Amino acid sequence: RDLPGVKSLDIGLGYRYSDYLSGGVDTYKADFDWEMIDSLRFRGGYQRAIRAPNVIEMFNPARAAPQLLGNADPCNFDSAQRTGPNAAQVRALCLAQGVPASIIDSYKSTFAGTQAVQQGNPDLKPEKADTFTFGLVWNPLFDAPLLQRLTTSIDYYQIELEDAISTLAADIVFARCFSTSYNPSFEQSNEYCSAILRNPSSGAPDRTNTPYFNLGGLKTSGIDIQIDWSFGLGAVGLSDDYGSISLNLVASRLLDFDVRPTQDAPWTSYVGTYGYSALGNNGAHPDWKANTSLSWSRGGVDLGVRWYFVDEMRDIVGGPGLEKYNRFDLFGGWRFSDQLRFSAGVTNLFDRNPLATFGGLPGNTDPGTYDTLGRRYYAGFNLRF
């Protein structure tokens, strides 16, 4: 500390060895925090992280649950696959899979679903991830009263995960089995096709095995931005006796979100989309997401509004997509003394409905992204003693 160009510099190194049921693993990190001058700080680091498979992922007994395929059975005589350019190969694959030859040209499943059989896998390996971050904090220390209390930070992150532990949803197993990208020769020995077990009499897909596996991986990167700014109203030509204004902005820009279901599969980008990813986990990946608060305070009284924003997204299962989502909250408080404070507010001021997800089917939404409770009110006292 206190050197030319280095007001302070902290460097951290770490290493850990862990022995799990799935085997021994090494994790390590290196990070730094460099305050160049009073107004500028850089920070960042690299870390190797792991997640060992849990008890359910390793030892859960086989259990079946009905699961929709999202589309008709590809072996239906009038399906897009049976009537497309690879119709002859698809027909042969359906025969090899168990659809009886006596009904192959009239076969049509009456239920577009299957029993997905999920179970643990004791041979799982830990997931591995490499994380890189770099950012800066800028507190400009301007003399102008309007900008004296301005602080900004911007951080870049990049994460690459391998050997992801997951199951493949049954509809993805079917899609991969009958896809020229994953099964170009339409062979029944393909790992996806062999997971489909059909009834020898009716040809219907009775079961689809979907155990836990070390599948593919995930790569993501983005930028996180935060702005904290406050000033007295005297800075804009009024008087500080009228109070002060505070602004807080936290925004995230998603640059990459690429997934591949198996080690030899191609990467697929999910930036700006919503739906079931190639690893089978439901998720929202908007380009932009932000939370902004603007408040006024004077003495012991404060009032504010909060704006929550989620960017528009395409629905990867073929739905109409999701429009931009805006939700506003009101909040305020009155401090009677150092010991007693009253607070109240309205959450979801305009009673914004959650957006329908998963292809726009009624009743489906994402409670982690959209508010499902509607407009609501709260009030309370806080007493310190």
Side-chain angles (χ1 to χ4, degrees), residues 194-273:
S194 59
I196 301 170
L197 306 177
R198 293 183 177 272
N199 186 297
S201 299
S202 67
D206 283 351
R207 296 197 309 163
T208 304
N209 293 326
T210 59
Y212 287 96
F213 281 114
N214 288 107
L215 296 171
L218 181 152
K219 297 188 295 185
T220 184
S221 65
I223 296 175
D224 293 329
I225 303 167
Q226 180 167 340
I227 299 175
D228 293 287
W229 182 24
S230 63
F231 56 88
L233 290 177
V236 292
L238 299 176
S239 170
D240 287 346
D241 292 339
Y242 293 118
S244 62
I245 300 293
S246 297
L247 172 71
N248 171 259
L249 166 67
V250 178
S252 180
R253 174 68 165 94
L254 185 64
L255 300 176
D256 299 289
F257 197 95
D258 299 336
V259 179
R260 63 179 180 182
T262 58
Q263 297 293 346
D264 57 349
W267 292 97
T268 302
S269 174
Y270 289 88
V271 174
T273 69

Side-chain angles (χ1 to χ4, degrees), residues 124-316:
L124 289 174
K125 300 181 295 183
E127 296 177 344
K128 299 186 294 291
D130 292 306
T131 301
F132 171 77
T133 60
F134 180 78
L136 63 88
V137 180
W138 181 47
N139 182 11
L141 302 177
F142 290 126
D143 292 332
L146 185 62
L147 301 174
Q148 281 181 347
R149 288 175 286 175
L150 172 65
T151 301
T152 64
S153 67
I154 181 168
D155 291 277
Y156 169 80
Y157 65 87
Q158 178 182 299
I159 303 169
E160 183 167 349
L161 185 147
E162 297 178 350
D163 294 326
I165 299 171
S166 184
T167 62
L168 286 175
D171 60 330
I172 296 177
V173 172
F174 270 78
R176 299 293 188 265
C177 172
F178 291 89
S179 166
T180 55
S181 299
Y182 296 89
N183 189 12
S185 301
F186 291 94
E187 299 288 342
Q188 173 57 21
S189 58
N190 174 272
E191 60 181 325
Y192 302 109
C193 296
S194 59
I196 301 170
L197 306 177
R198 293 183 177 272
N199 186 297
S201 299
S202 67
D206 283 351
R207 296 197 309 163
T208 304
N209 293 326
T210 59
Y212 287 96
F213 281 114
N214 288 107
L215 296 171
L218 181 152
K219 297 188 295 185
T220 184
S221 65
I223 296 175
D224 293 329
I225 303 167
Q226 180 167 340
I227 299 175
D228 293 287
W229 182 24
S230 63
F231 56 88
L233 290 177
V236 292
L238 299 176
S239 170
D240 287 346
D241 292 339
Y242 293 118
S244 62
I245 300 293
S246 297
L247 172 71
N248 171 259
L249 166 67
V250 178
S252 180
R253 174 68 165 94
L254 185 64
L255 300 176
D256 299 289
F257 197 95
D258 299 336
V259 179
R260 63 179 180 182
T262 58
Q263 297 293 346
D264 57 349
W267 292 97
T268 302
S269 174
Y270 289 88
V271 174
T273 69
Y274 183 89
Y276 283 90
S277 78
L279 289 180
N281 52 340
N282 207 16
H285 310 295
D287 290 312
W288 281 99
K289 197 172 183 180
N291 221 334
T292 306
S293 297
L294 180 67
S295 60
W296 167 83
S297 61
R298 180 178 180 270
V301 178
D302 61 89
L303 296 171
V305 60
R306 182 181 301 108
W307 171 31
Y308 172 70
F309 169 78
V310 179
D311 209 351
E312 62 187 359
M313 290 178 279
R314 293 178 289 107
D315 194 321
I316 62 173

